[in-house]
């Protein structure tokens, strides 16, 4: 499917799938959404420990990059596994402006390493951040009691309803350690019920603010 780079309301870029009218991040702000959903309501729950994170949908690497930045501020040691079936291209990566927008020019090399690191093996991106990218379908996730935190960042149920099902949520539940946390951006009733059915305790949190609103 045709992909196009677009600019979201906070100035950060994302990828749009035109045929689906679906973006990799919110049009209201890619960086803003990533921070709100995955850092504020996910990573920030963890303090000073070794952390294993599973990202379902690596895409542009934005979530991985902000996790690397924030993890380093909090002195976390992170092992990050990211699953992705359709990697973004080098040409697409070169058009993303996350390093500039996050004012993280000294971490440019780390952002590049997130993308250039090999698939299917663990790579040290920094001394405290290891990345293992897995090029495979979400249906093939077979981990068990391995992760403290899961970022579930698939496309929405409107376009990929098959990924918001009991079958996929069971895989995530199995992949989490006891008391693990899974965060996502969707709050639809049917999705919530499917999560509860596999055993998740579900908490609905306020969404990110839209630009221009207080
Ligand atoms: C919403 S985007 C992820 C955005 C990403 N977290 C980021 O920060 O850029 C969803 C991602 O899931 C991937 N994807 C969609 N269906 C998939 C499947 N069945 N298995 C694996 N990856 C899939 C897409 O290629 C896309 O990169």
């Amino acid at each position: 499917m045709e992909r196009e780079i677009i600019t979201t309301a906070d100035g950060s870029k994302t990828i749009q799938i035109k045929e689906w009218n679906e973006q990799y991040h919110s049009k209201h702000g890619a960086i803003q959404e990533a921070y709100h959903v995955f850092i504020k309501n996910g990573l920030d729950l963890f303090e000073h420990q070794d952390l294993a994170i599973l990202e379902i949908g690596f895409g542009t690497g934005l979530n991985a990059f902000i996790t690397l930045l924030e993890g380093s501020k909090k002195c976390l040691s992170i092992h990050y596994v990211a699953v992705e079936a359709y990697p973004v291209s080098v040409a697409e990566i070169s058009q993303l402006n996350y390093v500039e927008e996050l004012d993280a020019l000294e971490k440019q090399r780390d952002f590049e390493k997130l993308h250039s690191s090999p698939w299917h093996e663990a790579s040290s991106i920094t001394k405290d951040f290891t990345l293992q990218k897995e090029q495979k379908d979400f249906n093939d996730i077979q981990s068990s009691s391995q992760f403290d935190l899961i970022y579930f960042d698939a496309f929405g149920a409107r376009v990929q309803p098959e990924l918001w099902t009991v079958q996929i949520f069971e895989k995530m539940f199995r992949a989490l350690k006891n008391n693990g946390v899974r965060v996502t951006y969707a709050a639809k009733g049917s999705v919530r019920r499917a999560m509860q059915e596999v055993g998740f305790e579900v908490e609905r949190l306020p969404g990110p603010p839209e630009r221009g609103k207080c």
Side-chain angles (χ1 to χ4, degrees), residues 24-25 55 57-60 63 84-86 136-138 153 160:
Y24 279 44
H25 308 95
E55 177 172 27
F58 179 70
T60 64
N63 289 340
E84 173 61 60
Y86 316 102
K136 64 183 181 190
D137 196 279
F138 299 151
D153 201 10
Q160 285 194 305

Side-chain angles (χ1 to χ4, degrees), residues 32-44:
Q32 176 185 265
E33 178 197 51
Y35 261 95
H36 183 84
V37 176
F38 299 106
I39 302 300
K40 183 170 166 222
N41 291 302
L43 189 75
D44 280 355

